[in-house]
Structures are given as C-alpha cells and as structure tokens.
Amino acid sequence: MLSASTFRFLEPLELCYRSLCACGDRVMADGSLLDFLRQVSTFGLSLVKLDIRQESECHTDVLDAITQHL
C-alpha cells in the first residue's frame, strides 16, 4: 500500500508523463521517466543506507577526478 506522500510525489511525475505523450514525445516519456514511475509505484519512497566504505579505491578515483576537473 502506497503512502499519501508517495501519491503526492507521483502526481507531478504522472502529469509530466501525460504531457510528454500529448506533445508527441513518447520516446522521452517511455524512457527513464516511465521506469522511475514504475519504481516509485512499486517500492514507494524508501531510502537505503549506502556504505561508502565499499570499493573505497573506486571512490578515491572518482573524487580525484572531480578535484582535478575543478
């Protein structure tokens, strides 16, 4: 069962989806937006704790690349 906050979150996303379809941009609507709508409809708004200690070498490389770019 989805919570009221999930329904409130889905409303503008569904509006965007319908608007894109109405404007003929079905490719955009049926891509990531539709995937996201399905995920939220299925799982709701839940957050998962992320342990950034995993693969710390990868994180170090990413942060190094960002720092060098900036």
Side-chain angles (χ1 to χ4, degrees):
M1 178 102 178
L2 296 178
S3 67
S5 62
T6 301
F7 281 113
R8 285 193 305 271
F9 184 79
L10 282 171
E11 284 179 309
L13 294 175
E14 291 171 346
L15 180 62
C16 288
Y17 179 83
R18 288 191 302 272
S19 177
L20 286 168
C21 291
C23 291
D25 201 351
R26 190 87 187 193
V27 172
M28 180 68 81
D30 287 341
S32 298
L33 178 57
L34 183 57
D35 291 342
F36 187 59
L37 279 165
R38 287 177 178 155
Q39 289 171 359
V40 173
S41 296
T42 302
F43 302 110
L45 298 174
S46 58
L47 300 176
V48 177
K49 183 179 176 184
L50 175 64
D51 187 351
I52 62 169
R53 293 176 294 170
Q54 298 173 354
E55 300 295 334
S56 62
E57 186 176 324
C58 179
H59 295 287
T60 301
D61 293 342
V62 169
L63 289 174
D64 184 47
I66 292 169
T67 304
Q68 287 181 18
H69 175 74
L70 295 175

